[in-house]
Amino acid sequence: MMMLIPILLAIIVTSVVDSNDLARGWSDKIDWVTLEDGLKQSSETQKPLMLIIHKSWCGACRHLKGEFSKSMIIADLSKKFVMVNVEDDEEPEDEKYSPDGGYIPRIFFLDSQGKVRTDLYNEKGNPEYKFYHSDCLSIMETMKKAIDVIKPEPAKSSDEL
């Protein structure tokens, strides 16, 4: 029995760590998915997708991550989105993810067809870096606006099929 306890503890610790690998410190209270899975989920559920592009070595990213991970309001708002954060080499290469440059961090909102909504950005930030957020308040404001602006696509009628 004594030999079994360390094995069980190792299994429990491993499963807890594995379940939040995609959080990368951005909040274990949020259900994170990969970009590929997120695009599929967004299409299927008609929820907008929120994408955070960041780097492990970036000071601004680490600062924002620390603030973001503590926000219960963001965790609550996240339930209305498919949530994705990509780090380092996972950054998508498609130009649609860098409409005004490749700075980091960048936060985008996509509709259920995978279109980056360039009308959803940090309105109080630097106009040269529209998708850069330095604090949670600007993220929350943009999340709320995205909820209001991005509506589910109407279901196709049987005539359109």
Side-chain angles (χ1 to χ4, degrees):
M1 181 68 173
M2 292 302 282
M3 292 277 280
L4 200 54
I5 291 173
I7 294 170
L8 288 172
L9 284 174
I11 291 170
I12 291 168
V13 168
T14 302
S15 64
V16 168
V17 170
D18 287 346
S19 68
N20 288 314
D21 277 350
L22 294 174
R24 299 178 180 103
W26 285 88
S27 180
D28 291 337
K29 297 173 185 76
I30 293 174
D31 184 20
W32 297 100
V33 296
T34 64
L35 180 56
E36 183 179 345
D37 289 344
L39 290 168
K40 288 178 193 169
Q41 279 185 27
S42 179
S43 177
E44 292 167 4
T45 63
Q46 296 290 300
K47 283 184 175 181
L49 183 146
M50 180 174 159
L51 170 64
I52 303 172
I53 299 175
H54 61 99
K55 305 290 183 187
S56 58
W57 49 263
C58 166
C61 300
R62 286 194 304 265
H63 172 77
L64 184 60
K65 180 192 310 186
E67 197 177 312
F68 186 102
S69 67
K70 295 174 190 168
S71 174
M72 295 306 295
I73 296 171
I74 287 178
D76 189 48
L77 286 169
S78 76
K79 295 172 185 165
K80 298 186 185 289
F81 294 89
V82 176
M83 298 293 289
V84 176
N85 78 69
V86 294
E87 181 177 67
D88 297 332
D89 295 337
E90 298 170 344
E91 180 176 348
E93 294 180 10
D94 191 317
E95 288 182 15
K96 72 180 185 179
Y97 299 110
S98 53
D100 63 347
Y103 54 87
I104 49 173
R106 297 188 309 280
I107 299 179
F108 296 106
F109 294 89
L110 286 70
D111 63 23
S112 60
Q113 276 66 58
K115 179 181 180 239
V116 172
R117 295 293 302 260
T118 56
D119 57 328
L120 297 168
Y121 58 90
N122 182 358
E123 294 179 358
K124 295 179 181 153
N126 184 332
E128 291 184 31
Y129 307 104
K130 293 170 115 179
F131 305 98
Y132 175 83
H133 294 261
S134 61
D135 60 54
C136 286
L137 182 59
S138 66
I139 295 170
M140 289 183 280
E141 289 171 353
T142 311
M143 289 175 86
K144 290 174 185 176
K145 184 173 180 183
I147 292 165
D148 290 339
V149 171
I150 303 175
K151 301 295 181 195
E153 291 292 314
K156 292 184 178 181
S157 70
S158 57
D159 294 342
E160 294 180 77
L161 299 175

